[in-house]
Amino acid sequence: VEVQATLEGSIEGSPHPVKLIVDGTADRQRVEVRELRAEAGAAQAALTLSAQRAAGQPWQLRSSGRLSDFDPVAWWPGSEGTAWRNGPHRLSGNWTLDLTLPRVLPEMSPLALAQTVVGSGKLSVERSVLAGVPLALQLELGHRPGTGPAPSSLRGELVLGGNRLNVTGQGNPLGDGQADRLRLDLQGDNLAGLAPLARLLPDLAPWAPRSGKAQATLSVEGRWPDIRSDGKAAAQDLTLGTLQARQLQASWRFDTANGQPLMLQAELQGLNRGGQKLDNLRIDLRGTGRQHHLDVAAALPINPPPGLELALGLRTAVGTLVQMRADGQWLADGNGGGRWTGQVAQLTLGPWGGPG
């Protein structure tokens, strides 16, 4: 099949006339896109792509391309009056990819597919904005056969509205996952700068961040469903829509193999949503996936009715402390899922004397 076409016209709601140029060929063993170019006003997006395979062999894919002040609204206008239509969006960058794709099986999940792709390439996005939020991205894939148990590498940095996410990884897509490693580091110094992105999705718009900072690290070893992970996260002066939290801290460690240590510790202070307050919440989870123990303590700035308050001895308290202890079990099904069961062992109500 040989395709050569030039299409020009307009899309309802698009701010500019559009033009699409296609030049390519395809058969059962090879697909080649010599040129695919989209133009709208002065903005352009262009790519070349070739994919081929020998009989019984995996697909080999190569692609390169560039974006120049590309505005996706020109091609996907969305509904009038929406945050997507209003933008502004402007994307500039380039990429090169050289990949070997695994054999795709009907039961293969997108995650399993991504974990077994072998290749190298670079993606760069710069001088760009999405919904008015400054955007920069650098991503590099590497693959060096014969360099040890983890010949593939991943390195990337995303800067979005003054917030930074770094990712590093290594592994062997053709192996069993034991050599796979991934680390994420988040430094969110300006969460309010992400609010326009939240408004792009109607369900998230009420939760658009208005203030706050966040930091997090996450390390993962192995390949799903057999993974080990640890990390920590913190947030300060967080406001998401009408939800406010003065401070949040959490740390965790888990191994999906039964019998391995499991730990989660979290504390939230100063939660307020529409006048409903929770002064302090602590969660402590320890044990293993097969058998673990959960402690939860919540401090509420309210007291029971006077009669019950007197009977419980809460007259000098500034609030009420609710504590729960429970035991749980996770029964894995071997495919990454399972069933959790739990039983509350103790529930107590008592006075809370305030922070500290």
Side-chain angles (χ1 to χ4, degrees), residues 242-253:
T242 60
L243 178 67
Q244 296 176 311
R246 185 172 65 253
Q247 185 168 327
L248 170 66
Q249 293 180 322
S251 61
W252 62 88
R253 181 180 66 250

Side-chain angles (χ1 to χ4, degrees), residues 12 54 65 78 80 95 123 228 283 286 311-312 319 331 335 343:
E12 184 178 356
E80 186 175 356
W95 72 88
L123 169 64
R228 301 164 298 284
I283 299 174
R286 296 179 184 272
L312 295 175
L331 301 177
N335 297 315
Q343 182 177 9

Side-chain angles (χ1 to χ4, degrees), residues 130-141:
L130 185 62
V133 179
L135 164 66
L137 172 65
Q138 299 293 328
L139 186 64
E140 183 174 355
L141 300 174

Side-chain angles (χ1 to χ4, degrees), residues 62-193:
R62 292 183 177 180
S63 177
S64 63
R66 59 179 174 80
L67 301 173
S68 178
D69 293 331
F70 183 75
D71 183 359
V73 170
W75 299 88
W76 301 280
S79 300
E80 186 175 356
T82 60
W84 173 258
R85 173 79 72 90
N86 293 336
H89 315 297
R90 186 182 69 252
L91 302 175
S92 296
N94 58 81
W95 72 88
T96 59
L97 290 174
D98 189 349
L99 307 176
T100 300
L101 305 182
R103 182 182 179 186
V104 180
L105 302 175
E107 67 276 10
M108 182 176 286
S109 68
L111 177 60
L113 176 63
Q115 290 174 328
T116 52
V117 172
V118 179
S120 60
K122 293 183 179 181
L123 169 64
S124 176
V125 177
E126 54 190 15
R127 297 182 297 102
S128 299
V129 295
L130 185 62
V133 179
L135 164 66
L137 172 65
Q138 299 293 328
L139 186 64
E140 183 174 355
L141 300 174
H143 184 69
R144 300 175 62 189
T147 56
S152 293
S153 62
L154 167 67
R155 185 178 300 275
E157 181 182 68
L158 171 65
V159 181
L160 194 58
N163 304 279
R164 188 180 306 271
L165 176 66
N166 289 95
V167 56
T168 57
Q170 62 181 38
N172 183 2
L174 303 180
D176 59 5
Q178 292 300 309
D180 294 359
R181 304 286 187 272
L182 183 68
R183 178 181 175 91
L184 300 174
D185 291 280
L186 170 68
Q187 188 66 38
D189 293 333
N190 181 32
L191 297 183

Side-chain angles (χ1 to χ4, degrees), residues 175-239:
D176 59 5
Q178 292 300 309
D180 294 359
R181 304 286 187 272
L182 183 68
R183 178 181 175 91
L184 300 174
D185 291 280
L186 170 68
Q187 188 66 38
D189 293 333
N190 181 32
L191 297 183
L194 303 178
L197 299 180
R199 298 188 185 104
L200 292 177
L201 301 174
D203 290 341
L204 288 182
W207 300 96
R210 296 163 52 195
S211 67
K213 297 182 179 182
Q215 309 82 37
T217 61
L218 169 67
S219 297
V220 180
E221 300 180 2
R223 187 177 301 171
W224 185 260
D226 299 319
I227 62 170
R228 301 164 298 284
S229 176
D230 63 81
K232 60 182 180 179
Q236 305 85 33
D237 300 321
L238 184 64
T239 303

